[in-house]
C-alpha cells in the first residue's frame, strides 16, 4: 500500500517536472494565470528598461523622458480636462467613421457575396481602390472637407471600407453551400435565405473582421488628426512636437495604445458573449 | 387510371461546364410510395448530382422529374433533404432548428413547439432539445437533421450519405433508427450511399450507378423480410447479394483503371 502510494508520488513528481519543463516548448498549454503573469512580466521588463535608460541619462529627457515624467504629465492633463476632451473627441470620430464604413461594407459584401452581377460590377473597383495608399488621400480629404470632423470620417472610411467590404464578402462566401441548399428546400426565397441563414451563419466571422478593422481605424483617425485638426489625440501629439513636450507625445501614444487594446478586448468579450453557441460546453 | 409512382424520372441528362462534361446520362427510374431505395456507385458517378436534381437544387439539361405525376419546379417542401455535411444552424438549439423549418414552411405558430418536440422524441433526442449543435456529436446532429427534415411532412425524404462521416458503431445505430422511423411512419426514401451493406440492410431496391457517364446500370431488388434485424449478415443469400452489388460497382471502376 505505502509502496504504491510512494510510487505514484514519484510518478506524479516526474510528470510535474515534465510539465514545468514544457513551459517553453512548442504548443504547450498552461493555466490562464500563468499566461497573464508572463504578459505582465514582459510589460514590467520594458518599463524597467525604459526607466534605466532615462535614469542613467543615456538619452536626453527632451528625447526620452522617464516613465514617471510621462505619467505625471498625463495625470496633469487628465486633471485639467485636456486628456478627457481629446479622448472623447477621438472616440466620437472613430465611432461615427467606423460605423458608417462598417454598415456600408456589410451591405456591399452581402450584395457582391450573393449576386454574381454585383460582384462583377463592384469587386474589381473595390480591389483597385484598396491598393491606393490611404495617406495619399489625406491632401484630397482636406481639400474637400477642410479640418472638419467630416474629413476624419472620410479618412477612416477610405482606410476601412474597401478592406472591410472584401473581407466581409469572404466571410459570407465561406458559408457552406448546403446551408443555402437547406434553406431552399424549405421553399425560402433567395432574399430570405440570405438574411435568415447566410448572414447569421457568417456573423461570428463578420465580428472578427469588425474587430480587426477597428484596430486599423485607430490608425486612420490618428493620422487624420495629426495632419488636419484642432482637437483630438492626434492633434495634441502635433502640439507636443511643436512645443517639444516629448512627455505629452509619448503619453498620448501610450493612451492610444491603451484605447486600442481596450476596444479590442471589449470586442472580444462581446463576441464571446454573442457567439456563445459556438463553444462546446 | 393507374396511380402514379411517388417519384418518376425519365430521360434525364445532366452535364456541367456548358455541356462539356456529361455527368448523368439518360436516367430513368421510378420509386413507389413508401419505398426505400438506395443509389450506390463509385465516387464521382453522379449520385449527389442526381439527388440534388430531385431536390430541385440543381437543374437537369433535359428530362422529367415527376412527384405524384406532377413535374417539379425547383425545390419544394414535398421533398425533404438530409445532407452529408452538417447543416444545423449553429446559433439555434436542436429544438429551435426544427422549429425554424416548421416556421419557414408555414406551420401554425401555436403547434410549432409541440411538433418540434415530438420529432426530437422520434430521433430519441428529447434530452438534448436545448443543446446547440456545437454541443452535439456528429450522429446526434444528423438525427436532428432527420427530425428537422421529417417535421414538415415531406412526401419524399432525400438523404445524401447522411451517415458517411460517422464512425461504424454510430452508423449502425443510425441505420437502425432510420429503419424504425421509416417502418413506423411510412415514408418514401431515396438514400445515397457508397456503403454496400448499408444499402442492402436498408433498401427495398438498389440502383447501381455506372461511371462515365453516370447512369443507372442495374436495379437490384432486396427481398429480405422486414423488420430486418441486422443479424442477417451471416445469411449466405444476403452475402451473395452484397457481393453482387459490389461486383456491379467494381466492374465500373476496374474498367476505368484500364486506360
Ligand atoms: N458544379 C460542378 N461543376 C462541374 N463538375 C461537377 C460539379 N458538381 C459535380 N461535378 C462532377 O460531377 C461528377 C459527379 O459528382 P457527384 O454527383 O458529386 O458524384 P458522387 O456524389 O456520386 O460522388 C463528378 O465527376 C464531379 O466532379
Ligand atoms: Mg456525393
Amino acid at each position: 500500500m505505502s509502496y504504491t502510494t510512494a510510487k505514484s508520488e514519484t510518478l506524479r513528481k516526474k510528470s510535474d517536472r515534465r510539465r514545468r519543463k514544457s513551459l517553453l516548448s512548442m504548443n504547450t498549454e498552461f493555466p490562464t494565470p500563468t499566461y497573464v503573469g508572463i504578459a505582465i512580466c514582459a510589460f514590467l521588463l520594458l518599463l524597467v528598461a525604459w526607466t534605466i535608460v532615462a535614469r542613467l541619462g543615456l538619452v536626453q529627457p527632451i528625447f526620452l523622458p522617464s516613465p514617471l515624467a510621462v505619467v505625471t504629465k498625463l495625470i496633469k492633463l487628465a486633471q485639467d480636462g485636456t486628456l478627457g476632451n481629446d479622448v472623447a473627441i477621438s472616440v466620437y470620430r472613430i465611432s461615427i467613421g467606423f460605423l458608417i464604413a462598417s454598415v456600408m461594407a456589410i451591405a456591399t459584401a452581402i450584395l457582391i457575396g450573393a449576386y454574381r452581377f454585383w460582384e462583377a460590377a463592384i469587386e474589381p473597383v473595390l480591389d483597385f481602390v484598396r491598393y491606393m495608399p490611404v495617406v495619399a488621400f489625406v491632401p484630397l480629404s482636406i481639400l474637400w472637407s477642410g479640418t472638419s470632423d467630416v474629413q476624419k470620417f472620410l479618412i477612416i472610411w477610405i482606410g476601412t471600407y474597401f478592406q472591410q467590404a472584401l473581407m466581409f464578402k469572404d466571410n459570407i462566401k465561406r458559408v457552406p453551400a448546403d446551408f443555402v441548399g437547406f434553406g431552399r428546400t424549405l421553399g425560402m426565397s433567395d432574399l430570405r435565405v440570405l438574411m435568415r441563414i447566410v448572414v447569421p451563419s457568417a456573423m461570428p466571422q463578420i465580428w472578427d473582421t469588425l474587430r480587426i478593422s477597428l484596430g486599423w481605424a485607430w490608425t486612420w483617425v490618428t493620422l487624420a488628426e495629426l495632419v488636419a485638426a484642432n482637437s483630438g489625440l492626434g492633434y495634441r501629439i502635433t502640439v507636443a512636437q511643436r512645443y517639444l513636450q516629448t512627455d505629452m507625445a509619448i503619453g498620448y501614444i501610450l493612451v492610444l495604445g491603451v484605447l486600442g487594446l481596450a476596444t479590442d478586448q471589449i470586442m472580444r468579450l462581446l463576441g464571446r458573449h454573442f457567439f456563445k453557441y459556438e463553444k462546446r460546453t | 387510371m393507374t396511380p402514379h409512382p411517388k417519384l418518376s424520372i425519365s430521360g434525364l441528362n445532366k452535364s456541367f461546364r456548358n455541356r462539356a462534361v456529361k455527368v448523368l446520362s439518360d436516367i430513368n427510374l421510378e420509386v413507389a410510395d413508401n419505398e426505400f431505395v438506395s443509389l450506390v456507385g463509385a465516387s464521382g458517378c453522379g449520385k449527389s448530382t442526381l439527388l440534388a436534381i430531385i431536390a430541385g437544387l440543381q437543374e437537369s439539361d433535359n428530362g422529367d422529374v415527376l412527384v405524384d405525376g406532377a413535374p417539379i419546379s425547383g425545390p419544394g417542401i414535398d421533398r425533404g433533404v438530409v445532407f452529408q455535411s452538417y447543416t444545423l444552424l449553429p446559433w439555434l438549439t436542436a429544438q429551435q432548428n426544427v422549429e425554424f423549418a416548421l416556421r419557414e414552411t408555414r406551420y401554425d405558430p401555436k403547434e410549432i413547439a409541440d411538433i418540434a418536440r415530438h420529432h426530437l422524441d422520434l430521433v430519441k433526442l428529447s434530452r438534448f432539445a436545448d443543446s446547440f449543435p456545437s454541443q452535439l456529436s456528429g450522429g446526434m446532429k444528423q438525427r436532428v437533421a432527420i427530425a428537422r427534415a421529417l417535421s414538415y411532412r415531406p412526401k419524399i425524404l432525400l438523404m445524401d450519405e447522411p451517415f458517411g462521416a460517422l464512425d461504424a458503431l454510430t452508423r449502425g445505430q443510425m441505420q437502425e433508427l432510420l429503419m424504425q422511423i421509416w417502418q413506423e411512419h411510412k415514408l418514401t426514401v431515396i438514400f445515397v450511399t457508397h456503403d454496400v451493406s448499408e444499402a442492402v440492410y436498408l433498401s427495398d431496391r438498389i440502383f447501381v450507378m455506372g461511371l462515365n457517364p453516370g447512369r443507372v446500370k442495374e436495379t437490384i431488388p432486396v427481398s429480405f423480410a422486414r423488420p430486418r434485424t441486422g443479424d442477417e449478415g451471416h445469411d449466405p443469400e444476403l452475402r451473395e447479394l452484397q457481393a453482387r452489388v459490389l461486383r456491379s460497382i467494381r466492374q465500373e471502376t476496374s474498367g476505368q483503371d484500364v486506360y
Side-chain angles (χ1 to χ4, degrees):
Chain A
M1 166 93 186
S2 68
Y3 168 74
T4 48
T5 23
K7 193 176 171 192
S8 72
E9 185 73 4
T10 51
L11 270 178
R12 201 174 56 75
K13 269 191 186 147
K14 238 185 217 161
S15 73
D16 271 2
R17 199 173 311 136
R18 207 175 304 135
R19 212 173 296 143
R20 235 193 326 275
K21 236 191 262 171
S22 68
L23 202 60
L24 276 179
S25 57
M26 196 160 87
N27 289 338
T28 169
E29 281 298 329
F30 41 74
T32 315
T34 313
Y35 186 95
V36 174
I38 296 172
I40 289 175
C41 284
F43 271 103
L44 286 178
L45 213 64
L46 278 173
L47 199 65
V48 167
W50 178 10
T51 310
I52 289 173
V53 170
R55 269 291 154 83
L56 294 181
L58 296 175
V59 182
Q60 283 186 39
I62 195 160
F63 296 123
L64 186 71
S66 71
L68 192 65
V70 170
V71 172
T72 315
K73 180 73 180 183
L74 275 183
I75 291 173
K76 219 181 101 224
L77 289 165
Q79 277 166 348
D80 71 15
T82 316
L83 180 62
N85 256 337
D86 290 338
V87 169
I89 286 171
S90 293
V91 167
Y92 161 74
R93 287 171 179 156
I94 197 175
S95 303
I96 303 289
F98 184 71
L99 196 72
I100 296 172
S102 301
V103 168
M104 287 179 67
I106 289 176
T108 310
I110 294 173
L111 205 60
I112 62 178
Y115 300 96
R116 279 295 267 185
F117 175 85
W118 294 112
E119 186 181 345
I122 297 173
E123 182 164 341
V125 180
L126 295 181
D127 250 329
F128 180 50
V129 180
R130 192 164 67 103
Y131 282 103
M132 303 175 182
V134 181
V135 286
F137 282 97
V138 168
L140 265 186
S141 73
I142 297 172
L143 207 68
W144 288 335
S145 35
T147 59
S148 66
D149 281 350
V150 175
Q151 185 260 346
K152 316 295 172 298
F153 303 154
L154 195 61
I155 288 298
I156 295 170
W157 183 81
I158 294 171
T160 43
Y161 167 78
F162 297 93
Q163 311 278 348
Q164 275 184 328
L166 293 168
M167 286 169 78
F168 288 143
K169 180 208 147 187
D170 194 54
N171 299 149
I172 282 171
K173 283 261 172 173
R174 274 173 204 276
V175 175
D178 282 348
F179 274 48
V180 176
F182 159 65
R184 294 182 59 210
T185 63
L186 297 179
M188 296 168 76
S189 67
D190 281 0
L191 191 67
R192 215 171 156 77
V193 169
L194 204 54
M195 300 318 285
R196 307 251 359 230
I197 294 181
V198 176
V199 174
S201 298
M203 230 36 221
Q205 288 71 45
I206 288 178
W207 189 262
D208 283 345
T209 301
L210 278 173
R211 192 179 148 196
I212 294 166
S213 52
L214 183 54
W216 309 331
W218 277 109
T219 302
W220 304 131
V221 72
T222 310
L223 171 74
E225 289 176 347
L226 281 174
V227 293
N230 36 40
S231 59
L233 293 164
Y235 163 74
R236 199 66 59 197
I237 291 173
T238 58
V239 171
Q241 179 219 350
R242 208 174 304 147
Y243 298 103
L244 297 178
Q245 295 177 319
T246 320
D247 48 2
M248 185 156 85
I250 292 177
Y252 266 54
I253 290 171
L254 291 178
V255 168
L256 278 165
V258 170
L259 283 173
L261 192 68
T263 45
D264 191 62
Q265 289 304 307
I266 291 169
M267 290 293 282
R268 194 173 65 89
L269 290 175
L270 281 176
R272 219 194 256 178
H273 175 73
F274 292 151
F275 309 114
K276 260 194 283 217
Y277 59 78
E278 280 193 316
K279 280 220 332 231
R280 33 185 89 235
T281 42
Chain B
M1 186 181 148
T2 55
H4 294 290
K6 199 79 213 167
L7 174 79
S8 147
I9 298 175
S10 53
L12 185 142
N13 292 282
K14 170 71 178 172
S15 49
F16 284 112
R17 300 201 200 110
N18 292 322
R19 315 230 161 165
V21 189
K22 183 124 188 163
V23 173
L24 293 172
S25 163
D26 193 30
I27 304 287
N28 296 284
L29 58 84
E30 287 189 352
V31 181
D33 198 14
N34 298 338
E35 196 178 16
F36 196 122
V37 301
S38 290
L39 296 173
V40 301
S43 167
C45 71
K47 304 182 295 291
S48 296
T49 306
L50 180 55
L51 204 76
I53 290 172
I54 299 171
L57 295 173
Q58 288 191 30
E59 281 179 25
S60 59
D61 299 348
N62 50 38
D64 297 315
V65 179
L66 311 177
V67 174
D68 282 332
I72 61 165
S73 60
I77 59 174
D78 54 346
R79 284 149 289 146
V81 181
V82 178
F83 298 86
Q84 174 172 9
S85 65
Y86 303 126
T87 56
L88 296 188
L89 303 179
W91 65 95
L92 299 178
T93 63
Q95 169 83 13
Q96 289 167 338
N97 261 284
V98 182
E99 289 179 358
F100 180 94
L102 289 163
R103 201 169 303 120
E104 292 301 331
T105 51
R106 314 279 150 73
Y107 267 70
D108 182 353
K110 280 180 298 224
E111 294 175 16
I112 282 177
D114 280 340
I115 301 175
R117 218 169 293 124
H118 168 74
H119 281 87
L120 285 179
D121 205 31
L122 196 68
V123 294
K124 306 195 165 53
L125 278 180
S126 304
R127 282 198 314 125
F128 294 91
D130 296 324
S131 300
F132 288 100
S134 62
Q135 300 166 315
L136 301 175
S137 68
M140 288 157 121
K141 280 188 249 200
Q142 287 307 64
R143 270 143 76 190
V144 179
I146 291 171
R148 188 175 66 178
L150 290 177
S151 68
Y152 55 94
R153 300 270 156 221
K155 297 175 184 169
I156 303 176
L157 187 62
L158 305 170
M159 308 179 86
D160 189 357
E161 305 201 32
F163 312 144
L166 306 179
D167 62 86
L169 194 67
T170 315
R171 194 172 235 246
Q173 292 165 347
M174 297 288 288
Q175 291 164 0
E176 225 169 288
L177 182 72
L178 179 61
M179 244 335 55
Q180 260 177 18
I181 293 172
W182 175 77
Q183 263 153 9
E184 284 167 28
H185 289 258
K186 283 302 156 201
L187 272 169
T188 307
V189 181
I190 301 171
F191 190 94
V192 168
T193 180
H194 59 243
D195 179 336
V196 171
S197 59
E198 181 170 75
V200 169
Y201 171 54
L202 294 170
S203 316
D204 294 320
R205 278 190 302 154
I206 299 173
F207 297 111
V208 180
M209 290 182 63
L211 200 57
N212 291 331
R215 65 201 186 283
V216 177
K217 80 174 267 222
E218 198 174 352
T219 306
I220 300 176
V222 185
S223 48
F224 288 92
R226 297 182 186 269
R228 295 175 191 158
T229 58
D231 295 334
E232 293 93 346
H234 309 292
D235 190 326
E237 215 179 318
L238 181 129
R239 302 185 77 163
E240 169 49 33
L241 188 65
Q242 289 186 353
R244 185 178 152 204
V245 177
L246 208 54
R247 257 197 317 273
S248 187
I249 298 173
R250 287 244 173 90
Q251 275 168 9
E252 287 299 311
T253 40
S254 61
Q256 219 198 7
D257 290 340
V258 175
Y259 73 92

